[in-house]
Amino acid sequence: MPIAKVNGVEVEFEPGMTVLQVAELAGEEIPRFCYHERLSIAGNCRMCLVEVKPGPPKPQASCALPAAPNQEIFTNTPMVKKAREGVMEFLLINHPLDCPICDQGGECDLQDQSMGFGRDGSRYAQNKRAVEEKFMGPLIKTVMTRCIQCTRCVRFITEVAGQPEIGLISRGEDVEITTYLEQAVTSELSGNVIDLCPVGALTSKPYAFNARPWELKKTESIDVMDAMGAAIRVDARANAVLRVLPRVNDEINEEWNSDKTRYACDGLSRQRLDQPYVRIDGKLKPAAWAEAFAAVAAKVKATAPDRVGVIAGDLQDAESMKAALDLFGGLGVKSLDCRQDGAQIGARPRESWLFNSTFAGLDECDAVLLIGSNLRLEAPVLNARLRRNWVGRDVKVGVIGEQADLTYAYDYLGAGPASLASLIKARTGFAKILKDAQKPAIVIGAGALAREDGAAILALAAEAASKFGVVVEGWNGFNVLHGAASRVGGLDLGFTPGEGGLTALDQVKKGGADLLFLLGADEIDLSATDAFVVYLGSHGDAGAHRADVILPGAAYTEKDGIYVNTEGRAQMAQRAVFPRGQAREDWAILRALSDHLGAKLPYDSLAQLRVKLFAEHPTFGAIDHAPGSTPAALDLTAVGVKGEISDAPFASPVKDFYFTNPIARASVTMAECSASVAAARGKLLAAE
């Protein structure tokens, strides 16, 4: 490896690295505003100046300068110090002196670097430039007079999000960042530009003037808005969650998160269930815990076990499902199901319902087939990862299902199962691309599995995987993409109907069950059932509206819990605030209910429950381990069940990205986003 000297210290570096990267390898701090590790190099701000020998006797921008063998790099000479002070002075010429009212205050790169690398005064007395504010939708607040034209937002929205809706107009002193035709930004990842902005030009509109960073309690946790399990940080003050930010996790979300993950947190404080309710004379009325438990116990004892159904919702943690499984399984109930969308999956080897290649493994793929999945709406961060590989490595993508805008080009192969069957028989076109690929991958979404013939379609996809060499020694590219944070955990626990038990969809049919226990299940149609409904959940959504007894549970930010993402990676979420009112953690409610049912559960604390969970299901104890990272052979003949297949086209279950769960539906911000995006996409440009 080549060697360079940084302030007299020799450093080995990889060919292709920049001077800035080499300097950081040596432990030197290089200030920057425009440079970002995950974006293209712009070289706008000139703050990263260093002195390099051999070379011209002048400061040079280290972010855009390739490192060379035997190069000498100086980061702290008088020339460099003077140059950086001059650059900072120029950047502050037009910057307003409004730090006391700026939401970026306390976590602002401009503040930090002006203290560390700037002058203690300014030599400019001219009037500052004022720039008109821009409309970027309900999420991004703009104060464009603060903008230093680093173009991070432009590069992110174009390169990562794939929605070129922000750009730079005019020249010289008149240059401005703006959206095209003053429209809202419609990308599902738009909130990330707020984190990228090094000044206070782009800040969070819902969070505006709410708190200072030092007032907030910061808790590292896991996102449950989809099944990716992105790493997040929950910032709370007192007992209110004020914002959710991404944490860096290169194996899952890198450092991005979706707008729903970031902004749906205001739904945590709205439409909350904070005390038990019992329906009396057709109306839900507040009740004491003992009264609610007595009503549930009386109904359970009066109902035969084969007439009891239990459905787990999409946001449930593993501990609550384990407690429900222990309680109702011990009572002889066979009709338990965690698949409220009716997905035909869970009866085969564990690898048959996992994203086996892992998200990071997509970086190695050279061909990807999407079946029944609108990846942009179901997992926008994963879609951005696939787009990056399409841009940088020319990954070939084929789609069978909805013909949607995925932000990258793909081969559209058809709308339904017939197209998949034709692909298996084909020898040219995308079939040849898959066959010739070194590491092909198939991604099957809920649009293909959440239907009556889902098991047969899964078998058909396995047949395709077998033909195209998707599962070989050292590589498993057979992937199932779930949309529910609880789904893989439920399947791993065996939260599926036992012998003679009913599925979730059969339980809610008329005559399906006499007693329904809904564990946060709000995405299933209850209009046909006349059963007695017990709802344990956190929000007054569909399940609570139909309930005869409501047991108030805790939201995901209000409890410690284990969630297993679609890769099969178990991760721990941490409690950031306490449950509202009389609400309690779900497992604790089930433990208390077990006393009234005369079937006491054998644990009195979360630690004891986890000991039992890990003993009976060791995969939950392998925290942060994705089994696909050490590929095991998957017998594709054991995946799915062959049978009759409908001609109906695949349709993604996500119709509105902003309204996929009770928390998001309770969020005012998500409602504004949904309306804003619908309005923006409904307006055609003159050229269209």
Side-chain angles (χ1 to χ4, degrees):
M1 293 176 66
I3 297 176
K5 282 187 176 181
V6 180
N7 296 334
V9 178
E10 290 189 348
V11 178
E12 287 188 351
F13 65 92
E14 296 180 8
M17 294 182 75
T18 64
V19 168
L20 185 148
Q21 292 171 318
V22 173
E24 291 196 330
L25 284 178
E28 296 294 336
E29 181 182 1
I30 305 293
R32 84 290 297 269
F33 292 113
C34 69
Y35 175 79
H36 191 276
E37 294 82 356
R38 302 187 196 274
L39 303 177
S40 62
I41 294 171
N44 291 341
C45 71
R46 320 309 286 182
M47 193 65 204
C48 62
L49 295 173
V50 297
E51 188 177 349
V52 176
K53 293 180 181 179
K58 65 176 184 179
Q60 299 189 63
S62 60
C63 69
L65 183 64
N70 303 318
Q71 202 172 43
E72 291 189 71
I73 303 166
F74 301 94
T75 67
N76 52 14
T77 63
M79 177 197 294
V80 170
K81 183 175 185 298
K82 181 178 180 182
R84 289 176 180 171
E85 289 177 351
V87 169
M88 180 61 72
E89 199 170 0
F90 275 115
L91 290 175
L92 294 175
I93 287 175
N94 289 311
H95 199 81
L97 301 176
D98 59 357
C99 294
I101 63 163
C102 177
D103 275 317
Q104 199 83 345
E107 48 191 10
C108 174
D109 289 349
L110 189 64
Q111 280 184 334
D112 296 341
Q113 293 185 40
S114 63
M115 285 292 292
F117 304 98
R119 290 168 51 89
D120 58 0
S122 175
R123 294 171 287 180
Y124 290 87
Q126 290 84 355
N127 292 331
K128 293 180 180 289
R129 180 182 78 145
V131 182
E132 184 180 354
E133 309 309 345
K134 305 298 186 296
F135 174 71
M136 292 192 180
L139 303 180
I140 305 170
K141 176 187 173 185
T142 65
V143 183
M144 301 313 294
T145 304
R146 300 171 185 160
C147 180
I148 60 172
Q149 291 84 46
C150 71
T151 69
R152 279 186 179 184
C153 55
V154 177
R155 284 174 284 148
F156 172 84
I157 213 73
T158 303
E159 298 166 10
V160 179
Q163 290 286 104
E165 298 173 322
I166 301 177
L168 201 65
I169 61 171
S170 300
R171 299 177 65 187
E173 186 184 15
D174 298 321
V175 70
E176 296 181 23
I177 297 285
T178 184
T179 55
Y180 298 114
L181 301 183
E182 292 289 330
Q183 285 194 170
V185 180
T186 61
S187 170
E188 295 79 14
L189 301 169
S190 65
N192 291 289
V193 301
I194 294 168
D195 293 339
L196 288 171
C197 184
V199 295
L202 305 179
T203 55
S204 173
K205 189 176 284 187
Y207 177 69
F209 306 126
N210 270 356
R212 288 300 194 185
W214 53 84
E215 298 178 84
L216 303 175
K217 175 190 173 187
K218 302 170 179 64
T219 306
E220 294 185 352
S221 193
I222 302 299
D223 174 45
V224 300
M225 295 293 139
D226 57 32
M228 281 192 68
I232 60 173
R233 192 187 83 195
V234 181
D235 288 0
R237 183 177 60 189
N239 207 39
V241 174
L242 297 185
R243 65 178 181 179
V244 173
L245 299 177
R247 289 187 291 123
V248 177
N249 187 331
D250 286 334
E251 294 184 335
I252 301 178
N253 59 305
E254 299 179 296
E255 60 185 84
W256 318 123
N257 66 10
S258 72
D259 291 345
K260 184 165 53 180
T261 297
R262 184 185 296 264
Y263 288 110
C265 58
D266 66 318
L268 292 166
S269 61
R270 294 183 170 89
Q271 298 184 16
R272 288 302 303 270
L273 302 174
D274 57 1
Q275 67 181 84
Y277 288 85
V278 176
R279 193 177 294 275
I280 300 174
D281 297 330
K283 293 184 178 181
L284 285 170
K285 296 185 178 180
W289 275 107
E291 185 181 353
F293 284 147
V296 175
K299 189 64 180 178
V300 170
K301 291 174 181 177
T303 307
D306 63 344
R307 302 297 298 169
V308 177
V310 184
I311 304 174
D314 292 349
L315 306 183
Q316 292 307 121
D317 56 288
E319 291 89 344
S320 64
M321 289 188 286
K322 173 60 176 168
L325 197 62
D326 287 348
L327 174 59
F328 290 99
L331 294 173
V333 175
K334 301 293 186 183
S335 300
L336 301 99
D337 204 350
C338 64
R339 307 161 300 179
Q340 59 177 335
D341 59 357
Q344 302 292 311
I345 200 166
R348 298 289 168 169
R350 187 177 188 235
E351 291 79 12
S352 68
W353 64 71
L354 297 184
F355 201 96
N356 292 292
S357 71
T358 72
F359 304 142
L362 280 186
D363 297 344
E364 303 174 26
C365 290
D366 39 10
V368 179
L369 174 64
L370 304 178
I371 303 173
S373 174
N374 184 338
L375 198 59
R376 178 176 171 183
L377 298 185
E378 295 171 29
V381 177
L382 182 61
N383 191 62
R385 189 166 205 144
L386 183 54
R387 171 186 161 77
R388 184 189 65 198
N389 291 318
W390 171 79
V391 171
R393 299 174 48 250
D394 194 26
V395 171
K396 304 299 182 184
V397 181
V399 171
I400 298 178
E402 295 181 1
Q403 194 169 5
D405 176 13
L406 298 180
T407 71
Y408 44 83
Y410 56 82
D411 293 341
Y412 185 64
L413 308 176
S419 301
L420 179 57
S422 298
L423 180 69
I424 295 173
K425 298 175 183 177
R427 295 184 178 181
T428 59
F430 199 79
K432 187 175 188 306
I433 292 174
L434 281 173
K435 190 69 175 177
D436 295 343
Q438 297 297 311
K439 289 187 174 181
I442 290 178
V443 178
I444 308 141
L449 300 175
R451 36 191 279 167
E452 291 185 1
D453 58 355
I457 291 171
L458 187 64
L460 191 63
E463 184 181 342
S466 179
K467 177 183 176 181
F468 298 125
V470 170
V471 179
V472 294
E473 184 66 31
W475 173 253
N476 188 342
F478 188 80
N479 301 313
V480 174
L481 179 69
H482 297 284
S486 65
R487 184 63 48 84
V488 173
L491 295 175
D492 287 348
L493 284 168
F495 206 102
T496 50
E499 186 176 351
L502 301 177
T503 66
L505 295 182
D506 288 336
Q507 290 176 39
V508 299
K509 289 180 180 177
K510 191 171 181 63
D514 294 334
L515 169 62
L516 275 176
F517 194 97
L518 304 181
L519 197 60
D522 292 282
E523 316 304 324
I524 193 165
D525 184 7
L526 299 170
S527 59
T529 183
D530 55 1
F532 185 91
V533 177
V534 179
Y535 179 78
L536 192 166
S538 60
H539 281 71
D541 205 77
H545 290 171
R546 175 61 183 79
D548 295 289
V549 176
I550 293 176
L551 306 176
Y556 76 104
T557 55
E558 300 165 358
K559 58 186 175 182
D560 295 327
I562 296 175
Y563 293 89
V564 186
N565 75 351
T566 193
E567 299 173 296
R569 185 193 304 268
Q571 301 182 100
M572 285 191 175
Q574 306 294 330
R575 182 176 65 193
V577 295
F578 288 95
R580 295 296 180 103
Q582 298 180 44
R584 295 294 181 267
E585 295 179 13
D586 298 5
W587 76 267
I589 294 173
L590 292 166
R591 167 64 183 80
L593 177 61
S594 70
D595 280 338
H596 290 75
L597 294 174
K600 183 178 178 181
L601 292 174
Y603 32 77
D604 297 317
S605 67
L606 184 63
Q608 293 175 355
L609 192 162
R610 283 179 173 171
V611 168
K612 190 171 189 294
L613 174 66
F614 296 162
E616 296 179 7
H617 304 277
T619 56
F620 288 92
I623 300 299
D624 204 34
H625 169 69
S629 59
T630 53
L634 170 62
D635 182 5
L636 290 169
T637 61
V639 174
V641 179
K642 291 188 176 181
E644 292 187 6
I645 295 178
S646 165
D647 293 332
F650 300 136
S652 172
V654 180
K655 304 305 178 187
D656 190 328
F657 169 73
Y658 301 100
F659 290 149
T660 57
N661 60 63
I663 298 173
R665 286 191 289 270
S667 166
V668 173
T669 305
M670 291 297 97
E672 291 174 350
C673 285
S674 179
S676 175
V677 169
R681 290 178 178 166
K683 295 177 182 176
L684 295 179
L685 305 182
E688 297 177 315

